[in-house]
Amino acid sequence: MFSKMKLSTRMNLLAVFGALGLIIGFVFALISLRHSVLDGQKTKIRNLVEYAHTQLAFYDEQVKSGAMPLDQAKTLAKESLRKARYEGVEYLWINDLQPAIVMHPIKTELNGKDVSNFTDPDGKHLFIEIVKAGNADGGKGFVEYMWPKPGADKPQAKTSAVQRFAPWDWYLVTGMYMDD
């Protein structure tokens, strides 16, 4: 069939198939690039909660050595993380096993509150999911949910990294919006 076509028709078909191949290759490259960027962002937020974990470990060692009481260590640890920022505006927060918010530097009205019944707009009990993620796979994981983004008119998709600090049953959390 191909051999019975006019030369110009064959050339046009080759050009069309070549263009389609380039477009398909470009789409796959964009998808791959997006996944690479997201993986890099997830690695970054995982590293940030790991760093916060080392801060809590420092304060816990102070308690174990007798250098300070547990209440003081927890207060200093919360204050240290409350003030911590990365990329200018991003932050970490802490919740506990209940789950209750131990420290949230932005939504301070949540501090001390039981958030076990809190759901995102999709009905996900995100703070319960945070505790589950922190109790699985070596005490760390990721949670995807919807959360209000400053400047947006509705909640946006967000992924957070979680790491459990077992000595105090605290869960260290930070996240990234998926459209960033």
Side-chain angles (χ1 to χ4, degrees):
M1 172 174 172
F2 191 71
S3 62
K4 294 184 180 181
M5 291 182 187
K6 292 175 26 179
L7 181 60
S8 61
T9 303
R10 285 189 263 171
M11 296 296 280
N12 286 336
L13 280 174
L14 285 174
V16 167
F17 287 130
L20 283 173
L22 286 174
I23 291 169
I24 290 169
F26 183 70
V27 167
F28 280 115
L30 284 178
I31 291 169
S32 176
L33 177 63
R34 183 178 194 285
H35 285 293
S36 293
V37 168
L38 289 177
D39 287 346
Q41 290 290 85
K42 285 176 83 171
T43 298
K44 178 179 77 174
I45 62 174
R46 186 188 67 232
N47 290 342
L48 287 163
V49 294
E50 287 175 357
Y51 171 74
H53 191 273
T54 66
Q55 286 188 301
L56 295 187
F58 167 78
Y59 288 110
D60 191 50
E61 283 300 317
Q62 299 300 303
V63 172
K64 289 176 181 172
S65 72
M68 72 175 67
L70 179 60
D71 287 345
Q72 181 184 9
K74 286 182 173 183
T75 298
L76 290 171
K78 286 189 290 189
E79 187 63 16
S80 172
L81 293 180
R82 184 184 68 76
K83 291 180 179 180
R85 293 291 182 278
Y86 61 97
E87 295 183 3
V89 296
E90 302 300 335
Y91 58 90
L92 294 117
W93 84 84
I94 306 166
N95 60 262
D96 66 13
L97 182 63
Q98 184 177 1
I101 300 296
V102 173
M103 184 282 304
H104 196 294
I106 306 300
K107 293 195 171 283
T108 56
E109 68 275 10
L110 294 176
N111 291 341
K113 302 278 194 248
D114 178 347
V115 288
S116 57
N117 290 321
F118 187 95
T119 58
D120 75 357
D122 294 335
K124 181 179 273 189
H125 287 84
L126 67 106
F127 294 102
I128 290 174
E129 294 301 317
I130 285 168
V131 170
K132 286 179 184 176
N135 287 335
D137 195 24
K140 53 180 118 175
F142 293 95
V143 178
E144 295 178 0
Y145 56 95
M146 302 296 286
W147 190 256
K149 182 178 182 180
D153 58 344
K154 60 182 181 175
Q156 304 293 311
K158 190 170 188 176
T159 298
S160 284
V162 180
Q163 185 164 352
R164 179 175 179 226
F165 186 69
W168 299 350
D169 265 336
W170 282 4
Y171 298 80
L172 302 162
V173 189
T174 193
M176 64 177 179
Y177 288 98
M178 300 310 290
D179 63 351
D180 286 347

